[in-house]
């Protein structure tokens, strides 16, 4: 082989550019930061998981006791006993609320951690790795008090995130179906459904409407109109929860003393 051939071969393989090297370093830094933040969340969860001797006065037990009560109740939900959660969340509670209250609390915490990671995956898949890292960074302060893992909120967050991500990736039918499921987990995903309308994705819109109609009909057949009423009013509560915007403003400007109602501290009176 001639020296000219060697020169030509080396010229045919361009060296790694500075920008390529910088991209690799940036990707590694992003991955390292993401791992640290996920590790922090896992540590926060593990430190808060109850033991057999954990005091029941812990605020973490409040929701778990309600979940356990719902799962242990006999009869048809909505029809035979009141439930303040829509059907998808109710099904989730029935699955994770096993054993006693402590077991329920542990089940909800571990399931929420998995759903949190699924939400991270949805954001990264649909909107890019930097968006996924932003989700981790912005939400991590919540876990300084990791009570958020001991509620059912991550179920609806994960469903909504994957619904939007799939629509973004042009899996319109699947994304629309997940958005409809999210609405039947909690009602607030209705506020993000208009994003599908803005993007003019007819298949996603048809999927949301069709799945929503089927779900609403099934819910009506099981629980009657009482099911809708129980969820909309949180089991007939008359006041606004003090953690809500309306409840917080009412308490601030009226100075009303919160009262315990339907498992939460409330002020004011709803007009319905």
């Amino acid at each position: 082989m001639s020296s000219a051939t060697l020169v030509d071969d080396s010229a045919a393989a361009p060296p790694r550019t500075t920008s390529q090297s910088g991209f690799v370093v940036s990707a590694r830094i992003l991955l390292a930061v993401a791992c640290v933040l996920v590790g922090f969340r896992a540590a926060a969860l593990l430190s808060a998981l109850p033991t057999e001797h954990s005091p029941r006065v812990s605020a973490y037990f409040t929701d778990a006791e309600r979940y356990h009560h719902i799962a242990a109740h006999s009869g048809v939900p909505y029809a035979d006993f009141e439930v303040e959660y829509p059907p998808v969340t109710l099904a989730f509670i029935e699955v994770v609320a096993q054993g006693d209250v402590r077991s329920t609390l542990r089940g909800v915490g571990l399931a929420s951690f998995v759903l949190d990671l699924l939400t991270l995956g949805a954001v990264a898949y649909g909107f890019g790795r930097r968006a996924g890292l932003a989700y981790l960074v912005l939400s991590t302060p919540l876990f300084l008090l990791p009570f958020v893992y001991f509620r059912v909120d991550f179920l609806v967050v994960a469903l909504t995130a994957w619904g939007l991500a799939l629509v973004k990736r042009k899996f319109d039918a699947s994304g629309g179906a997940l958005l409809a499921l999210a609405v039947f987990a909690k009602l607030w995903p209705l506020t993000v459904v208009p994003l599908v309308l803005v993007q003019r994705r007819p298949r996603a819109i048809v999927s949301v409407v069709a799945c929503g109609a089927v779900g609403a009909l099934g819910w009506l057949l099981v629980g009657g109109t009482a099911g809708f009423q129980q969820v909309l009013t949180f089991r007939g509560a008359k006041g606004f929860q003090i953690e809500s915007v309306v409840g917080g403003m009412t308490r601030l400007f009226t100075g009303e003393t919160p009262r315990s109602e339907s498992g939460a501290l409330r002020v004011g009176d709803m007009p319905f």
Side-chain angles (χ1 to χ4, degrees), residues 149-220:
Y149 271 150
F150 299 107
R151 297 171 54 88
V152 294
D153 300 295
F154 273 106
L155 172 66
V156 63
V157 172
L159 287 172
T160 304
W162 271 107
L164 293 174
L166 290 175
V167 171
K168 180 74 173 178
R169 289 284 189 165
K170 302 188 185 310
F171 295 100
D172 292 351
S174 300
L178 284 180
L179 287 176
L181 279 178
V183 172
F184 287 109
K186 278 200 173 179
L187 300 181
W188 68 256
L190 282 171
T191 61
V192 304
V193 171
L195 292 175
V196 180
L197 298 174
V198 172
Q199 296 177 17
R200 297 180 180 178
R201 308 294 283 273
R203 291 185 62 191
I205 296 170
V206 170
S207 179
V208 170
V209 173
C211 293
V214 171
L217 178 60
W219 188 5
L220 181 64

Side-chain angles (χ1 to χ4, degrees), residues 17-42:
T17 64
T18 304
S19 61
Q20 289 175 323
S21 300
F23 177 80
V24 172
V25 172
S26 297
R28 289 176 178 173
I29 292 175
L30 290 176
L31 179 61
V33 172
C35 289
V36 169
L37 294 176
V38 170
F40 172 78
R41 292 155 106 97

